[in-house]
Amino acid sequence: MKRVIVIGCPGAGKSTFARKLAAKTGLPLHYLDMIWHRADRTVIGRDEFDRELDKLLIEDEWIIDGNYARTLPLRLAHCDTVFFFDIPLEECLEGAKSRLGKKRVDMPWVDDELDPEFLQWIMDFPRDVVPEIERHLKNFDKTIISFHSREEADKFIASSE
């Protein structure tokens, strides 16, 4: 396990898991949200994002946390391990709400409320995004580890000691 992607619904616990995995493995951790979003709540352009992602993908070792479905095929082509957080919607919504008002290392600002558009994206994720992820993973011939609860993810970290 040298090139890892962590994907799944917002609020599922991806970033927390990625931090724990990075601490265990020593692999460098990169958050796609920190590349895409600026502190002033604007975003960089697609071309700039793709250039930054390309720089990461040529490295020998990494953990990349984030969905960005448009780039999933490219990341899958470069990784050897996928952690897919297929967590129930209610847990994801609770996870997203629990981080309100808290500073995070995976986002360049603090949210005090859930943006309605972001909330809708979370709610639509199981219907709109999960099938796309599953379609891409069907053809992935390397390691895929799916978690259906945060407890499963925690057990994985604990068992890798």
Side-chain angles (χ1 to χ4, degrees), residues 65-80:
D65 167 46
N67 289 304
Y68 295 81
R70 180 181 66 83
T71 67
L72 183 57
L74 178 64
R75 287 179 286 134
L76 287 171
H78 286 82
C79 77
D80 57 44

Side-chain angles (χ1 to χ4, degrees), residues 6 21 66 68 80 96 98 115:
V6 183
L21 185 64
Y68 295 81
D80 57 44
S98 73
D115 173 71

Side-chain angles (χ1 to χ4, degrees), residues 83-114:
F83 290 96
F84 174 35
F85 278 70
D86 190 13
I87 307 290
L89 176 60
E90 297 76 26
E91 288 184 52
C92 296
L93 289 168
E94 185 56 41
K97 290 174 188 172
S98 73
R99 60 191 186 200
L100 293 175
K102 297 177 183 172
K103 184 166 176 43
R104 301 165 40 202
V105 297
D106 58 318
M107 193 60 120
W109 64 72
V110 175
D111 282 316
D112 294 320
E113 62 184 6
L114 278 179

Side-chain angles (χ1 to χ4, degrees), residues 42-55:
T42 61
V43 298
I44 65 173
R46 275 187 170 198
D47 290 342
E48 185 179 351
F49 180 84
D50 292 350
R51 283 192 299 274
E52 292 301 313
L53 178 59
D54 286 343
K55 288 178 195 175

Side-chain angles (χ1 to χ4, degrees), residues 9-25:
C9 189
K14 297 183 308 294
S15 299
T16 300
F17 173 81
R19 281 190 295 282
K20 291 176 182 177
L21 185 64
K24 284 274 190 199
T25 62

Side-chain angles (χ1 to χ4, degrees), residues 41 137 143:
R41 297 180 184 253
L137 293 181
T143 302

